[in-house]
Amino acid sequence: MTAITLNIIVQGILTGLVYGLMALGLSVIFGVMRVVNFAHGEFTVVAMYAAFLLFDMLGVSPLVSLLPIAAAFFFLGYVLQRTLVEPFVSRAEHEQFILLVGLATVVVNGLLLIFGPDARPINLPYSFDSYTVGSLFIDKVRVFAALGAFAICIALFLFFRYTRTGTAIRACADNLTGAGVVGLNVKQLYAVTFGLGFACIGAAGTLMATIADASPGLAPAYTLLAFVIVIIGGLGSMAGALVGGVLIGISEALAGFYIQPSMKSMFSFALLILVLVLRPQGLMGRRL
Amino acid sequence: MRDIWQRLPTRGKTFCLAALAAAIAAPLVADRYLLSVLILVFYFAYLGQAWNLLMGFAGQLSLGHALYLGLGAYTATALWTLFGIGPWIGVFIAIPVAAAAGMIVGWLGWRFAIEGVYFALLTIAFAEFTRIGFDHLQITGASAGLFLSVNSPGSDKWWNLGGGPLLYYYLALILAAAATLLVAWLRRSPLGYRWLAVREDPEAAQAAGIDIFRAKMIAMLISASMTAVGGVFYGFYYRNLFPSQVFDIGRSIEIIMAPIIGGLGTVFGPIVGAILLTPLGESLTALMQHFGINTPGAKSIFYGLTLMVIITLQPSGVWPWLARKLGLDRPRA
Amino acid sequence: MTALLTIDGISKRFRGLAAVSRVSFEVQQGDIFAVIGPNGAGKTTLFNMIAGALPPDEGSITFAGQQIQGLRSDQIARLGVGRTFQLVRPFPALTVEDNVIIGALMQTKTVHDAEKIARDTLARLDLFDKRAQIASSLTLPDRKRLEVARALATGPKLLLLDEVMAGLRPTETDRIVATLRDLNRGGLTILLIEHVMRAVTALASRILVLHHGAAIAEGNPEQVLRDPAVVESYLGAESL
Ligand SMILES: Nc1ncnc2c1ncn2[C@@H]1O[C@H](COP(=O)(O)OP(=O)(O)OP(=O)(O)O)[C@@H](O)[C@H]1O
Ligand SMILES: [Mg+2]
């Protein structure tokens, strides 16, 4: 493998970890509630704008605003679930879809109204620095973003494995009636789950803002990207989201360099079609 | 056919005839702008019928109907601009092209038991895949678009769809009316019953001897073919095509709005939905222009909110409710 | 007499659990054959294999002289096997009549004829007056009857009934028993799973007893119901 290819793959892995965090939010929500958040990319872009504004107006670095934005998004998700989504949990798939597509349309066009179509970059002092390891040149921002994404994923894994709430949410996902019978407050847990999914969005969007310029046009593409990733990794599988994210990150980076940047998502979709046909439950998913 | 007519309640018959007569006579009083709005109403009613067949009757959620629309549009317009083949012949090539794409999507999805959300995502994936493909397809102008020139020989002839708004008005009206008749007839046919069974409970449908794969494939075949015809209309009406517009997921969502708002799985739902939505959107645009607001997003926000409100309050759509109010629903025998 | 249905050594395992193991029996043309056994004995699993909803792990199923294991359930239905579901599955948003028309469309090509068949069938099962109701609004006993009507409307040679009398009042049970006997006289072969012994003894000419997936007894009702193993594993437990 040439040094260039290796460079590209490493960049792809780093970007892919951020993608993975974003997709993790989708996967957690679906895994527990069986609701597909069709407004995922739209809210990711909202988080990107939040990071941009905090940086632009107050000079707060995204690495600092990461946790506050994630917390705010947790709250946003919690409230959205409680008010808007809750009545739809037991409704037909297409009804959930329409609700969330409606929401996505409102959000993305709201962004367009407020910020206009132009891209908003965050120019950090180290935006163009890179680390040199042997023949590798790795963007500093990308390393930070990937580390941040990875750390948050680990934190979420630990939460689901070791805390009471996390265990209770997993119980809801496995057996809803059982969870209700043993006295878990399912509605409350669903709202927390939605909140956690949104916290992933908030964090991923903030990190994404350091490696891509915020613009409303990104939103539908990110929604699709998140779908592609979780289906490749396995809807509902947390590890799958990360693996899928990294795979798509690499595939995008390679296709973008060797073929054409504008054709990179074609390969992601081809990969998706391949996975759906050969292994519909995804690489790491259980058969539903 | 006669059966469908007889099944309508008397008031419904009057209503249908009156509406049809009004539609036929409309160009006598309507100005150019109103005519263009009505063209859109019929166009969306027509596409809504096509999509509703697959989703409302056979229960298969496609979020990628822009694929068939785009393939239909591109096939017919490319045949015209590249080889001088007119749309009346082109449409018979556009249909099999889109139908073949539908068969591929359906076969891949349903053969491998990809259902519900997964199937919906598969349809999006195919539409997006094709969009990017066309963005790079030089022969159809890639992302710079494909244009129908107005001064190539014969392009002003009605048989090449070169007429004014009146031609397109009646064309759209005929398409919408024919699609509605077709759907009404299919609904009462053995095939229609099979679709409903598949939608309601695939396993029980199978136990009643229905080959569910076959039933879904036929639904897809008809739906994709009808959508392709809508695409040919789109291509010649707008006379320019961009992959980023015609294959876009926004286009797919636009197609499904009318039947959802009007009432999924009903014959008149797509029409009612189109009648409600299109003028609302248009008057909103006019209103904003009047007040000097020129923001493209506002109309979409309105659409988004409408979707959310309707699906929360009236998930089965406006038509079933309206039909009850007007006493137009079939008396339950 | 010829065997309409021959089951030869079929088994089904779910992960570790042997739901049905090496069960063999024959159902003669024109018989009413009952399968009984305690909860979880594997009765429904056996039905699902016959109807093609589940592929058997081993063994063969012959229906009307043709091997049917491995066929899809719609193919088996079209060969003449009608079935009901223990957990009823009517088409919820459709009317009672439309539910049955869908079944009837298996024997005829026109909706007009299917309507006629559906109405006859509904009348037979006391559902005619409710034909315009939406299926999901029916009571459970009515939904069970609707299951039977839909299966019957397909015009089967063999009808599989999975606990259609559970939850019915005794008078309702007697009505269904009479209807089934009537149908049987008309030449329909019936294979039924039933817990209601009153119905089993009234209808069945042969009984198979399943226990933990295995056939522990088979024969005519008098023999089987006196069999000590059956009394111990099933009837004893029921009478507690
Ligand atoms: N799809 C399945 N996956 C896993 N286990 C199953 C499945 N279906 C049935 N079983 C198990 O197989 C065994 C037999 O089930 P089955 O439904 O055939 O019993 P049954 O005799 O019909 O009982 P009942 O009288 O309660 O209806 C049970 O232990 C059941 O839990
Ligand atoms: Mg059972």
Side-chain angles (χ1 to χ4, degrees):
Chain A
M1 210 184 305
T2 65
I4 297 179
T5 312
L6 196 63
N7 255 313
I8 290 165
I9 290 177
V10 171
Q11 304 273 16
I13 293 172
L14 296 177
T15 315
L17 282 168
V18 184
Y19 288 170
L21 175 61
M22 173 177 75
L24 188 61
L26 189 68
S27 194
V28 163
I29 293 173
F30 180 83
V32 177
M33 298 164 50
R34 305 273 127 185
V35 170
V36 179
N37 179 16
F38 275 87
H40 209 75
E42 283 70 13
F43 281 104
T44 305
V45 175
V46 172
M48 291 175 79
Y49 274 105
F52 165 77
L53 286 180
L54 285 174
F55 177 79
D56 199 51
M57 292 160 68
L58 305 173
V60 186
S61 151
L63 293 178
V64 177
S65 59
L66 179 63
L67 289 180
I69 291 180
F73 265 69
F74 176 87
F75 185 69
L76 175 65
Y78 189 95
V79 171
L80 269 180
Q81 150 69 21
R82 269 288 143 100
T83 52
L84 205 61
V85 182
E86 172 60 34
F88 280 79
V89 170
S90 51
R91 290 239 215 133
E93 271 168 0
H94 73 269
E95 294 178 16
Q96 301 173 349
F97 153 76
I98 289 155
L99 178 80
L100 288 158
V101 161
L103 182 62
T105 312
V106 172
V107 170
V108 74
N109 288 289
L111 288 175
L112 201 61
L113 275 184
I114 301 169
F115 296 103
D118 300 335
R120 305 295 180 103
I122 293 183
N123 294 312
L124 291 163
Y126 48 88
S127 272
F128 299 100
D129 293 359
S130 55
Y131 296 110
T132 315
V133 185
S135 59
L136 288 179
F137 299 92
I138 312 168
D139 300 343
K140 226 172 177 174
V141 278
R142 233 174 267 273
V143 173
F144 290 162
L147 285 178
F150 196 65
I152 290 172
C153 288
I154 297 289
L156 209 61
F157 281 117
L158 295 177
F159 171 82
F160 277 115
R161 187 139 314 267
Y162 294 110
T163 66
R164 284 182 74 95
T165 317
T167 325
I169 290 176
R170 281 193 294 140
C172 284
D174 282 345
N175 185 343
L176 189 54
T177 19
V181 169
V182 300
L184 295 176
N185 182 347
V186 175
K187 278 189 185 176
Q188 170 78 9
L189 291 173
Y190 275 180
V192 171
T193 306
F194 218 78
L196 286 173
F198 265 66
C200 289
I201 296 180
T206 311
L207 295 170
M208 201 83 90
T210 64
I211 53 178
D213 304 342
S215 85
L218 287 176
Y222 279 165
T223 298
L224 288 175
L225 188 68
F227 287 154
V228 171
I229 290 170
V230 290
I231 289 186
I232 287 177
L235 253 175
S237 152
M238 298 184 65
L242 274 189
V243 171
V246 168
L247 266 180
I248 288 298
I250 295 173
S251 133
E252 276 198 349
L254 285 176
F257 184 81
Y258 284 108
I259 299 160
Q260 246 189 63
S262 57
M263 284 178 88
K264 63 185 182 185
S265 48
M266 212 168 156
F267 288 84
S268 313
F269 288 119
L271 211 58
L272 168 77
I273 292 166
L274 210 64
V275 167
L276 274 176
V277 168
L278 298 180
R279 203 179 148 80
Q281 74 272 40
L283 297 177
M284 324 219 19
R286 284 168 293 169
R287 194 80 179 103
L288 293 170
Chain B
M1 273 296 152
R2 191 186 297 154
D3 194 45
I4 304 167
W5 180 247
Q6 279 164 355
R7 278 177 170 275
L8 283 175
T10 322
R11 219 196 271 201
K13 286 175 191 162
T14 328
F15 217 84
C16 277
L17 286 178
L20 200 62
I24 292 172
L28 295 176
V29 286
D31 63 0
R32 221 186 149 88
Y33 171 71
L34 190 60
L35 219 52
S36 74
V37 174
L38 288 174
I39 290 174
L40 282 184
V41 170
F42 295 137
Y43 166 76
F44 282 119
Y46 172 79
L47 289 178
Q49 293 289 17
W51 181 80
N52 193 36
L53 207 73
L54 187 61
M55 173 64 204
F57 292 125
Q60 306 303 307
L61 179 55
S62 162
L63 299 180
H65 257 48
L67 174 62
Y68 318 121
L69 187 84
L71 285 176
Y74 262 102
T75 307
T77 41
L79 283 173
W80 170 242
T81 50
L82 298 176
F83 309 109
I85 299 173
W88 294 101
I89 297 170
V91 70
F92 290 101
I93 300 165
I95 289 174
V97 168
M103 295 294 90
I104 292 172
V105 174
W107 188 81
L108 280 177
W110 296 320
R111 253 297 163 253
F112 297 91
I114 297 169
E115 304 283 345
V117 200
Y118 292 86
F119 181 74
L121 295 178
L122 187 73
T123 62
I124 300 181
F126 267 97
E128 283 293 302
F129 185 85
T130 314
R131 174 179 66 78
I132 303 167
F134 269 85
D135 259 335
H136 295 87
L137 193 64
Q138 293 309 330
I139 191 164
T140 56
S143 57
L146 181 66
F147 297 88
L148 285 187
S149 131
V150 275
N151 41 28
S152 60
S155 68
D156 57 338
K157 300 291 189 292
W158 70 266
W159 62 84
N160 289 326
L161 293 183
L166 212 57
L167 173 70
Y168 284 94
Y169 176 82
Y170 283 112
L171 202 58
L173 175 60
I174 289 169
L175 280 178
T180 307
L181 270 179
L182 178 69
V183 167
W185 176 72
L186 282 171
R187 163 66 186 83
R188 300 294 308 171
S189 74
L191 193 56
Y193 277 101
R194 287 193 193 110
W195 286 337
L196 293 182
V198 171
R199 178 191 80 187
E200 292 291 300
D201 187 334
E203 209 178 311
Q206 262 192 312
I210 296 169
D211 183 341
I212 56 175
F213 177 73
R214 199 184 140 92
K216 290 191 274 196
M217 287 296 267
I218 296 174
M220 178 62 107
L221 186 75
I222 302 177
S223 182
S225 303
M226 286 172 72
T227 309
V229 176
V232 177
F233 181 90
Y234 177 102
F236 281 81
Y237 183 57
Y238 288 108
R239 305 194 88 75
N240 59 61
L241 288 176
F242 300 92
S244 61
Q245 282 178 10
V246 70
F247 288 108
D248 188 50
I249 180 156
R251 188 68 58 194
S252 296
I253 288 173
E254 196 176 77
I255 293 175
I256 76 179
M257 292 271 301
I260 287 173
I261 302 296
L264 271 180
T266 63
V267 173
F268 289 103
I271 303 178
V272 172
I275 291 176
L276 287 177
L277 273 178
T278 317
L280 267 176
E282 287 303 316
S283 44
L284 201 76
T285 313
L287 209 67
M288 286 191 317
Q289 270 166 4
H290 181 75
F291 289 109
I293 313 168
N294 189 18
T295 40
K299 189 167 150 189
S300 301
I301 291 183
F302 163 76
Y303 274 135
L305 285 174
T306 312
L307 272 183
M308 290 169 70
V309 170
I310 295 266
I311 205 65
T312 305
L313 302 180
Q314 199 61 250
S316 53
V318 173
W319 170 244
W321 169 85
L322 193 68
R324 257 196 318 279
K325 290 272 156 200
L326 298 177
L328 292 178
D329 57 343
R330 209 165 284 147
R332 295 229 174 271
Chain C
M1 282 217 280
T2 54
L4 180 64
L5 179 73
T6 307
I7 307 288
D8 189 11
I10 60 168
S11 304
K12 184 78 201 175
R13 305 184 69 82
F14 293 115
R15 298 203 189 99
L17 176 87
V20 171
S21 32
R22 295 177 185 278
V23 169
S24 304
F25 63 93
E26 280 190 351
V27 179
Q28 304 300 325
Q29 174 79 52
D31 250 7
I32 298 185
F33 191 108
V35 178
I36 63 173
N39 287 113
K43 305 180 296 291
T44 299
T45 306
L46 178 68
F47 259 38
N48 281 335
M49 288 191 283
I50 298 171
L54 283 174
D57 294 340
E58 58 173 346
S60 72
I61 305 171
T62 313
F63 175 73
Q66 184 183 347
Q67 298 244 327
I68 58 168
Q69 76 275 12
L71 293 186
R72 289 192 316 267
S73 52
D74 56 289
Q75 294 171 316
I76 293 176
R78 286 199 297 274
L79 288 174
V81 181
R83 69 145 329 161
T84 66
F85 291 91
Q86 181 180 358
L87 301 169
V88 290
R89 313 180 71 146
F91 302 120
L94 307 187
T95 62
V96 168
E97 182 170 73
D98 282 353
N99 263 271
V100 184
I101 287 177
I102 287 168
L105 280 168
M106 213 181 84
Q107 20 171 348
T108 164
K109 288 220 176 322
T110 71
V111 173
H112 188 253
D113 292 347
E115 247 164 33
K116 225 179 302 171
I117 296 171
R119 289 181 178 206
D120 289 347
T121 314
L122 285 171
R124 261 207 139 120
L125 284 148
D126 298 332
L127 281 171
F128 188 75
D129 295 338
K130 297 180 175 155
R131 66 189 186 282
Q133 280 187 32
I134 299 296
S136 60
S137 72
L138 294 181
T139 60
L140 185 63
D142 279 346
R143 270 186 267 176
K144 293 220 155 186
R145 275 199 284 255
L146 178 55
E147 283 281 316
V148 180
R150 189 176 62 198
L152 207 52
T154 64
K157 298 191 190 103
L158 171 69
L159 183 61
L160 306 179
L161 300 173
D162 196 346
E163 298 198 21
V164 290
M165 286 170 242
L168 262 56
R169 284 195 297 273
T171 47
E172 292 173 323
T173 306
D174 290 347
R175 293 259 332 146
I176 294 223
V177 165
T179 310
L180 292 179
R181 199 180 280 137
D182 223 38
L183 288 163
N184 178 245
R185 265 194 223 109
L188 179 67
T189 309
I190 298 173
L191 177 56
L192 51 83
I193 294 174
E194 204 47 73
H195 276 302
V196 180
M197 290 315 286
R198 172 194 173 90
V200 173
T201 45
L203 283 170
S205 48
R206 282 191 85 74
I207 297 180
L208 174 83
V209 186
L210 278 186
H211 187 54
H212 289 317
I216 58 167
E218 193 205 326
N220 59 41
E222 299 82 62
Q223 289 169 342
V224 168
L225 298 179
R226 262 185 229 111
D227 189 317
V230 176
V231 173
E232 191 194 341
S233 67
Y234 179 52
L235 300 172
E238 287 287 295
S239 59
L240 276 181

